[in-house]
Amino acid sequence: MSTTSLTDNYKGVWDSRIGFGNKAALIVIDFMQGYTTEGSPLFAPGVVTAVAESVELLAQARALGTPVMHTNIRYQPGFADGGIWVKKAPVMKAMVAGNPLAEFCPEMLPLSSELVFTKQYASSFFGTSLAATLVAQGVDTVVLIGCSTSGCIRATAVDAVQHGFRTIVVRECVGDRHPGPHEANLFDIDSKYGDVISKSEAMAKLAELAG
């Protein structure tokens, strides 16, 4: 059994930084009411906090002209498009048209000018045109906010780096249903797939890029 601390164990091996490139986009992932409504099976207190923290960052990105893109999850009746995932996680069957839990949080409503990518699985890239859209707009850096940290945030972060994007996750602006998986996945993302940074640092970097 290792006697070194987790930080010491990873030091010099899994602790490099990727930073921002030349153009960033803010990707707002699955901020839907199922995660913020008490009594919902998907309710996650950490997401309630993340939504509140994200309001300022989203407003700044819009004011700066930073591309903002949103994702949601939506299934057809019968859930055939959910495949094995809805069998493993039947709680996701709440994400159907007409269910208030599948609607965006009021604070995070997309503008009519902002793209919404509808997905059926965890990663925002899987089965969507997100990567192609980012490339077409000259984006080399994705700033991820949303939920949940251990699910769609992690999956999107992994796919983002595999698609060649610099991947940034804003610590205060992602959330989960329990702090254990939340912190563990932030540690993994920061170690292997991208940079986990504070909201203040993210806002400063976006302002710097906007020049």
Side-chain angles (χ1 to χ4, degrees):
M1 181 176 178
S2 175
T3 58
T4 62
S5 71
L6 185 58
T7 302
D8 287 343
N9 182 272
Y10 274 55
K11 188 175 182 179
V13 180
W14 295 110
D15 60 355
S16 62
R17 312 303 288 166
I18 191 64
F20 281 64
N22 297 313
K23 184 176 181 180
L26 180 67
I27 313 298
V28 186
I29 299 171
D30 299 351
F31 267 149
M32 296 175 293
Q33 294 181 40
Y35 296 99
T36 59
T37 301
E38 290 194 48
S40 163
L42 285 167
F43 177 67
V47 178
V48 176
T49 302
V51 168
E53 289 282 358
S54 297
V55 171
E56 183 182 20
L57 178 58
L58 177 59
Q60 187 215 33
R62 287 169 170 167
L64 292 172
T66 301
V68 176
M69 302 174 194
H70 304 255
T71 73
N72 64 356
I73 300 172
R74 194 62 51 88
Y75 296 109
Q76 297 293 322
F79 308 102
D81 55 341
I84 299 300
W85 196 27
V86 295
K87 297 182 186 298
K88 173 65 178 176
V91 68
M92 298 308 298
K93 290 183 177 181
M95 298 303 155
V96 292
N99 189 336
L101 299 180
E103 300 300 324
F104 286 107
C105 298
E107 306 94 325
M108 294 287 113
L109 280 176
L111 300 179
S112 60
S113 59
E114 294 170 351
L115 294 173
V116 176
F117 295 87
T118 296
K119 59 191 180 71
Q120 288 74 45
Y121 293 88
S123 170
S124 300
F125 291 94
F126 184 79
T128 76
S129 60
L130 177 59
T133 302
L134 292 167
V135 169
Q137 295 191 19
V139 171
D140 62 4
T141 304
V142 290
V143 179
L144 308 183
I145 65 175
C147 63
S148 66
T149 316
S150 61
C152 298
I153 297 298
R154 183 191 177 110
T156 300
V158 172
D159 273 2
V161 70
Q162 291 175 158
H163 277 87
F165 297 103
R166 294 171 181 262
T167 304
I168 308 294
V169 174
V170 184
R171 173 175 286 277
E172 297 95 328
C173 298
V174 296
D176 215 314
R177 63 188 298 124
H178 190 278
H182 171 74
E183 290 298 335
N185 281 274
L186 287 180
F187 183 89
D188 284 348
I189 292 168
D190 193 53
S191 299
K192 299 178 180 178
Y193 306 115
D195 296 349
V196 176
I197 67 174
S198 68
K199 184 174 76 170
S200 60
E201 184 179 354
M203 294 180 70
K205 285 292 189 180
L206 289 179
E208 182 182 321
L209 285 181

